[in-house]
Amino acid sequence: MSGKRQNPPTVRLRRLAAELRLLRSAAQLTREEVTERTGVNGVTLYRIEKARARPQKRTLLALMDLYGASATQRADLLAVQSGSHDQGWLRPYHSELPEEYTAYIGFEAEARSVRNYESLFVPGLAQTERYARAVIKGVLPTASQREVEQRVRARIERQAVLTKPNPLQLWAIMDEAAVRRMVGGREVMVEQARHLAQLAEEPHVTLQLIPFDKGAHAGMTGSFVHMDFPDAQDPELVYVDTPAGDLFLESETEIRRYKSMFEHLQAVALDMDDSVKLLDSVAGQRD
């Protein structure tokens, strides 16, 4: 039997589906209860929450009314819904939004594996609390203490994906600059280097460092994250953090380009054992 091939859901549609699932869960409602109270067909609701169907605006409004969505959430979800057919997504940065509500964290929580290259930072999933606090204060110098602590808490909570029963597969490559830069002071960086070395012992984590003496390499253009997902209908994503906002890429051409870039970085980086030796050296030099 032949049939029309269904296009995979776009990154925006997937994010909309995830946010609606979270809102329904927060409202402590079953799908059956939502159907009874809104009149939205149960099959339709299921398809919306699985990113298999784009909700009509009136349906989205009815769901947000029932779930008690805030004004900010309503505006955000309506904007996502209006462009849900488009590939790619530059999500504007809003300093007033806490980090735990950003789209990236939602995708990371759903991912099967993450390949992360960082040129200047230790990857968020591998940061200690003190390093994370120092980084956030440095990158966001105008943030209030409350905002800093909110973001630190969100960053540390994200790391639960590495300790859950079926943990995220993390492959992180860092330029040596990420562990040499004195973020938060000597004591903080010794703790961070040792944490990285300990994390490298986990079977689902691979850490590699690119030493300074390797010279120029493909990652010098900037950091990025490549994610894939358990559901075959959810395409791979590439995430790039820019000053303008969160950039999500999903075209096959972009995915191939970043996968190739990561392969080049794997080849130029030290292997796991030598990377851990470099981390031990960094920690020892700072004791």
Side-chain angles (χ1 to χ4, degrees):
M1 180 182 295
S2 62
K4 185 177 180 181
R5 185 173 180 268
Q6 185 177 8
N7 291 328
T10 65
V11 60
R12 303 183 201 211
L13 190 58
R14 289 158 65 185
R15 192 70 249 132
L16 180 62
E19 294 294 340
L20 288 174
R21 293 197 305 270
L22 287 172
L23 284 171
R24 179 171 63 79
S25 177
Q28 298 184 329
L29 293 169
T30 65
R31 288 199 188 100
E32 291 74 17
E33 289 171 330
V34 172
T35 294
E36 182 179 340
R37 295 171 64 174
T38 64
V40 176
N41 180 273
V43 173
T44 299
L45 180 61
Y46 174 84
R47 287 174 54 77
I48 289 172
E49 290 193 353
K50 291 295 184 181
R52 304 296 179 252
R54 174 180 181 267
Q56 295 182 356
K57 184 176 180 179
R58 65 174 180 271
T59 299
L60 179 57
L61 289 171
L63 294 175
M64 291 191 297
D65 286 343
L66 177 61
Y67 301 154
S70 68
T72 299
Q73 288 171 323
R74 292 170 70 91
D76 201 21
L77 293 181
L78 284 169
V80 175
Q81 185 264 358
S82 67
S84 59
H85 287 311
D86 301 329
Q87 278 203 327
W89 189 15
L90 176 61
R91 189 175 190 274
Y93 173 71
H94 298 288
S95 59
E96 71 274 11
L97 293 179
E99 185 174 350
E100 58 261 44
Y101 295 125
T102 60
Y104 173 80
I105 294 176
F107 285 121
E108 182 183 73
E110 297 166 3
R112 174 177 57 191
S113 70
V114 163
R115 293 172 178 83
N116 186 185
Y117 166 71
E118 293 289 346
S119 56
L120 294 175
F121 301 99
V122 170
L125 289 176
Q127 292 180 8
T128 65
E129 183 173 337
R130 292 200 295 173
Y131 178 93
R133 184 172 291 107
V135 162
I136 292 167
K137 284 183 177 180
V139 173
L140 300 174
T142 62
S144 68
Q145 186 62 31
R146 178 178 176 275
E147 290 170 330
V148 169
E149 292 305 319
Q150 195 173 38
R151 291 170 182 271
V152 170
R153 184 173 66 253
R155 189 160 299 183
I156 299 305
E157 288 176 354
R158 282 169 50 198
Q159 296 174 5
V161 297
L162 295 177
T163 56
K164 62 184 181 179
N166 186 24
L168 177 78
Q169 301 292 312
L170 173 65
W171 194 315
I173 301 178
M174 291 165 279
D175 191 280
E176 186 176 348
V179 295
R180 292 289 185 186
R181 181 171 294 278
M182 196 69 71
V183 175
R186 185 178 302 275
E187 186 178 328
V188 170
M189 290 308 299
V190 168
E191 178 187 50
Q192 180 62 75
R194 288 175 174 166
H195 177 68
L196 286 168
Q198 183 177 13
L199 193 60
E201 297 177 2
E202 298 294 334
H204 55 282
V205 176
T206 301
L207 294 178
Q208 290 183 272
L209 291 175
I210 302 176
F212 289 141
D213 61 16
K214 290 292 185 177
H217 59 77
M220 292 177 69
T221 55
S223 305
F224 63 92
V225 178
H226 168 242
M227 292 179 269
D228 66 11
F229 301 86
D231 191 334
Q233 295 190 67
D234 288 338
E236 301 168 47
L237 289 178
V238 166
Y239 167 82
V240 182
D241 185 9
T242 79
D246 297 340
L247 178 61
F248 295 91
L249 304 170
E250 56 186 327
S251 73
E252 291 184 6
T253 300
E254 295 288 4
I255 297 297
R256 281 198 303 271
R257 183 162 71 91
Y258 278 94
K259 287 175 78 170
S260 174
M261 192 184 305
F262 197 83
E263 289 170 358
H264 282 289
L265 294 171
Q266 287 173 297
V268 75
L270 298 174
D271 63 22
M272 279 273 284
D273 289 342
D274 287 339
S275 293
V276 170
K277 288 178 183 177
L278 179 54
L279 288 171
D280 289 340
S281 173
V282 169
Q285 291 171 12
R286 290 174 174 166
D287 276 343

